[in-house]
Amino acid sequence: GDSVTQMEGPVTLSEEAFLTINCTYTATGYPSLFWYVQYPGEGLQLLLKATKADDKGSNKGFEATYRKETTSFHLEKGSVQVSDSAVYFCASGNNAGNMLTFGGGTRLMVKP
Amino acid sequence: DTGVSQDPRHKITKRGQNVTFRCDPISEHNRLYWYRQTLGQGPEFLTYFQNEAQLEKSRLLSDRFSAERPKGSFSTLEIQRTEQGDSAMYLCASSLEGGGAETQYFGPGTRLLVL
């Protein structure tokens, strides 16, 4: 079945540091790929998505590129802020639109 | 757009009791999903409705679990004879069918603790 693997956390960075959170997937066919974020005490929110190979999703300074050749969708941000502290989940979605497969989540802590 | 709502937000029950959770999706969304999330893990898919039809169920959904969406709007998830291993966050999500992996919008979840 489909699976998503992302780097374990926590990831601790200083403010304005560069962020990379790795995500790789296995899937039949060509899934859509998502990054969701869960801020403390809140529900899951979509951060960005990409629906086909070489697409780049971006939002709030975060970016991720759908790499079919390496089956990856790594999340990056050039300069993190304290307010980015949260848990980040990578997910793949089948093209029938009926379920998401999530990675285990990566906790990011940004220190001032 | 009031978002996906879930009720209750927290539930504590004793082993062996039945519990029922409710999810109200975004009003125009015809797809509704249930997921379960245990501490430190990502959400795991449980089941999915398109309108009132339950189209897919995970093997995680044992026969003690039942979900309904009788009028294609709100949904309920019932767990019978709860066990301590059922303790988790139960998440509901909804989406508007769009011919692909459309965005799922998540509710705040119901946290269940089985004593």
Side-chain angles (χ1 to χ4, degrees), chain A residues 5-21:
Chain A
T5 303
Q6 58 183 107
M7 61 190 290
E8 291 192 19
V11 174
T12 304
L13 295 173
S14 296
E15 207 165 21
E16 299 184 2
F18 184 86
L19 169 71
T20 300
I21 300 178

Side-chain angles (χ1 to χ4, degrees), chain A residues 20-32:
Chain A
T20 300
I21 300 178
N22 290 338
C23 171
T24 57
Y25 67 91
T26 60
T28 52
Y30 303 99
S32 292

Side-chain angles (χ1 to χ4, degrees), chain B:
Chain B
D1 181 354
T2 58
V4 178
S5 61
Q6 294 186 243
D7 183 70
R9 295 289 304 275
H10 303 272
K11 179 70 177 177
I12 300 174
T13 191
K14 293 182 179 178
R15 190 177 53 185
Q17 299 295 304
N18 298 344
V19 294
T20 300
F21 310 142
R22 177 181 170 122
C23 171
D24 287 272
I26 293 171
S27 58
E28 65 269 25
H29 286 183
N30 61 335
R31 289 182 168 176
L32 186 147
Y33 314 79
W34 286 99
Y35 292 81
R36 182 172 67 188
Q37 184 178 20
T38 53
L39 204 59
Q41 303 297 316
E44 296 174 294
F45 171 79
L46 292 179
T47 189
Y48 145 74
F49 291 84
Q50 181 153 315
N51 301 310
E52 66 276 7
Q54 188 175 17
L55 297 186
E56 190 157 341
K57 293 195 291 186
S58 163
R59 284 172 289 181
L60 292 175
L61 211 66
S62 76
D63 56 6
R64 296 184 298 105
F65 288 70
S66 62
E68 295 182 344
R69 194 183 183 199
K71 297 183 180 178
S73 57
F74 73 92
S75 175
T76 58
L77 177 68
E78 181 183 16
I79 309 174
Q80 297 182 325
R81 305 181 303 281
T82 52
E83 301 173 355
Q84 288 182 328
D86 297 331
S87 296
M89 178 77 87
Y90 290 85
L91 299 172
C92 177
S94 70
S95 70
L96 182 63
E97 181 184 3
E102 65 271 2
T103 299
Q104 295 183 21
Y105 295 85
F106 283 80
T110 295
R111 185 172 295 282
L112 172 66
L113 177 61
V114 181
L115 300 177

